[in-house]
Amino acid sequence: AGTATAYLCGVKANEGTVGVSAASVRKQCNTTFGNEVTSILKWAEDAGKSTGIVTTTRVQHATPSASYAHSVNRDWYSDYDMPYDAVEQGCKDIAQQLIYNIPGIEVIMGGGRKYMFPRDTPDVEYPNEWKANGSRLDGKNLVEEWKHSKKDKKAHYVWNREQLKKLDLNEVDHLMGLFEHGDLQYELERNKTSDPSLEEMVTAAIRILSKNPKGFFLLVEGGRIDHGHHEGKAKMALFEAVEMDKAIGRAGTLTRDTDTLTVVTADHSHVFTFGGYTFRGNNIFGLAPYLSDVDNRPFTSILYGNGPGYALENGERANVSTSEINENHYQAQTAVPLRHETHGGEDVAIFAKGPMAHLFHSVHEQNYIPHVMAYAACIGQNRDHCTNLNTLPCDNGAWAAQGTGAILLALLALLACV
């Protein structure tokens, strides 16, 4: 969460907080006020660009929420999740801030339905599952409030893939798609009728946002990669990474490098490793080609430094078989037992293409990222360089300043995303 604030708002923040400076203290509501910081999404919106959020997590999760919310606790998804004193002091839950802080956001897609509806409201997809019920204590139906605020605009709310596919995107200016009550399903378990893929969501988002001749900003998160790693399920995590890669590729075909800065990065790594001198062509989820020279047992090429995959049999490392390691939910062995695997501490990469991509080089602090994007797009505070820019024709017949077109920030994943 703190990292999301850094790479979206341009300032360092404390762990567990979103959209506030380091002067705010986690879980202390009264430290919110006066310490709010705005994001590059807000800067783009203020400049007249279209904006969007696409994630495989709930839309109120840490990374997306840092673009629109100001909260001293990333876990305050709805008012149900907040302590009474925080509500009394005037702090707002993240779901409510999604609707009201930056009402102009054109595209919102991901999960998180239950935080938008009154408590005990049956979920439209899982009406018999209590955990999917609405959670709000204030009785608000935020989906209806969003729809009412857009009643004079071409706005649509959808909750499944079929509804999304039926939309004529040329006739859509605002879209909210909430496809699960919580996070979206892992790609390996995705219901292809009810849940769109990340690539499909990105495609729809860009087609809606790119109608604006002033350009757009789109935040894309492959957030379930992180979840797969925390659970020690490398297969889940890596298939999510493949989906993120597909989404990045699709975004590249729908935009132009001449006027679109694409940035791909991660907020942290994981204690995830692969080795074992495996041969070329070896299944990445398979076994190393030899036994351990200490306990004489097989081991997989993928391992974790810590996590839930730690197992002993009669005081020795558990044996592994070729049948279990290919299961989707197989938990790779670890050196230290933990209920959830942890993040890693090494630097992560930043990949970029498009206008001003050359400004990403060598080693940078996380909060450097949005300032480069803002500089490239001529938004935010530093715009002195923008007056002498050349202009290029847009596909829709309009003209835009070179370097002020669309921005796609894709938060990658092979290493991880929260």
Side-chain angles (χ1 to χ4, degrees):
T3 303
T5 300
Y7 60 55
L8 290 172
C9 303
V11 300
K12 292 296 184 80
N14 292 322
E15 187 269 337
T17 66
V18 292
V20 290
S21 72
S24 294
V25 180
R26 186 173 189 180
K27 300 183 180 181
Q28 293 188 20
C29 171
N30 61 357
T31 66
T32 305
F33 312 111
N35 296 319
E36 300 93 341
V37 292
T38 57
S39 74
I40 188 167
L41 184 147
K42 180 67 163 59
W43 309 340
E45 191 74 27
D46 289 345
K49 298 182 186 295
S50 294
T51 58
I53 298 166
V54 173
T55 179
T56 54
T57 68
R58 63 205 80 181
V59 295
Q60 306 86 357
H61 208 252
T63 290
S65 68
S67 68
Y68 61 80
H70 312 290
S71 178
V72 292
N73 193 341
R74 57 171 286 180
D75 298 325
W76 287 353
Y77 302 125
S78 80
D79 59 344
Y80 174 83
D81 304 303
M82 300 176 64
Y84 177 78
D85 65 321
V87 177
E88 286 296 298
Q89 291 172 25
C91 282
K92 304 296 184 183
D93 61 90
I94 293 171
Q96 190 170 182
Q97 294 189 57
L98 171 63
I99 303 303
Y100 291 108
N101 278 11
I102 310 177
I105 298 176
E106 280 79 5
V107 175
I108 302 168
M109 281 193 281
R113 280 195 302 261
K114 67 180 180 180
Y115 308 112
M116 310 293 280
F117 293 95
R119 188 175 183 181
D120 296 330
T121 303
D123 183 72
V124 65
E125 186 175 5
Y126 309 101
N128 298 319
E129 296 186 19
W130 66 268
K131 68 178 182 180
N133 289 351
S135 66
R136 301 199 61 81
L137 300 179
D138 58 13
K140 293 183 177 181
N141 183 325
L142 293 179
V143 170
E144 286 301 318
E145 293 188 16
W146 178 86
K147 290 164 65 175
H148 180 75
S149 70
K150 305 288 188 297
K151 62 181 179 180
D152 298 325
K153 301 177 181 178
K154 298 176 181 178
H156 296 265
Y157 168 74
V158 297
W159 64 267
N160 63 54
R161 181 174 179 263
E162 291 303 314
Q163 292 175 341
L164 178 62
K165 289 175 62 179
K166 289 179 181 177
L167 291 177
D168 179 358
L169 299 179
N170 292 321
E171 298 299 319
V172 177
D173 293 332
H174 292 266
L175 173 63
M176 178 184 287
L178 302 179
F179 303 106
E180 283 288 342
H181 63 90
D183 300 321
L184 299 191
Q185 300 293 329
Y186 285 113
E187 176 61 26
L188 287 174
E189 299 175 335
R190 178 170 64 91
N191 182 322
K192 294 178 174 56
T193 298
S194 61
D195 293 349
S197 68
L198 182 60
E199 181 180 3
E200 290 171 331
M201 291 192 292
V202 167
T203 299
I206 292 178
R207 285 180 171 166
I208 294 171
L209 300 176
S210 60
K211 291 184 292 184
N212 186 342
K214 292 184 177 181
F216 65 89
F217 170 83
L218 176 61
L219 170 64
V220 181
E221 182 199 20
R224 298 235 66 194
I225 299 165
D226 174 71
H227 297 170
H229 283 311
H230 281 311
E231 295 174 9
K233 300 173 181 177
K235 191 169 186 178
M236 291 295 197
L238 294 188
F239 269 82
E240 292 295 309
V242 170
E243 290 306 304
M244 186 65 181
D245 184 67
K246 290 179 182 178
I248 294 168
R250 179 59 174 158
T253 66
L254 294 173
T255 57
R256 304 178 304 184
D257 291 353
T258 56
D259 62 8
T260 305
L261 173 61
T262 304
V263 181
V264 182
T265 189
D267 44 2
H268 55 75
S269 67
H270 280 263
V271 289
F272 165 78
T273 184
F274 48 92
Y277 300 117
T278 52
F279 299 128
R280 181 179 298 171
N282 190 77
N283 184 343
I284 189 61
F285 304 111
L287 298 172
Y290 56 91
L291 302 180
S292 165
D293 59 3
V294 176
D295 62 13
N296 204 37
R297 292 190 173 189
F299 63 98
T300 54
S301 58
I302 287 178
L303 297 167
Y304 286 96
N306 57 50
Y310 182 89
L312 293 177
E313 293 178 353
N314 299 320
E316 296 184 348
R317 183 173 64 90
N319 212 341
V320 293
S321 67
T322 54
S323 59
E324 65 176 333
I325 63 176
N326 288 313
E327 295 176 358
N328 291 346
H329 289 273
Y330 172 72
Q331 293 177 312
Q333 292 185 337
T334 73
V336 175
L338 289 176
R339 288 187 176 88
H340 296 94
E341 175 264 3
T342 72
H343 298 161
E346 65 268 28
D347 290 344
V348 296
I350 306 174
F351 303 94
K353 65 175 183 176
M356 303 293 177
H358 66 280
L359 295 178
F360 292 108
H361 54 79
S362 70
V363 178
H364 299 289
E365 292 288 340
Q366 301 153 338
N367 58 310
Y368 173 79
I369 296 173
H371 296 295
V372 171
M373 293 190 291
Y375 185 85
C378 289
I379 60 178
Q381 295 180 341
N382 183 5
R383 297 192 300 271
D384 293 342
H385 63 290
C386 303
T387 55
N388 297 320
L389 286 177
N390 296 323
T391 58
L392 291 175
C394 298
D395 291 337
N396 60 7
W399 286 75
Q402 183 174 357
T404 65
I407 301 176
L408 171 68
L409 172 59
L411 299 178
L412 180 70
L414 179 70
L415 297 174
C417 276
V418 167

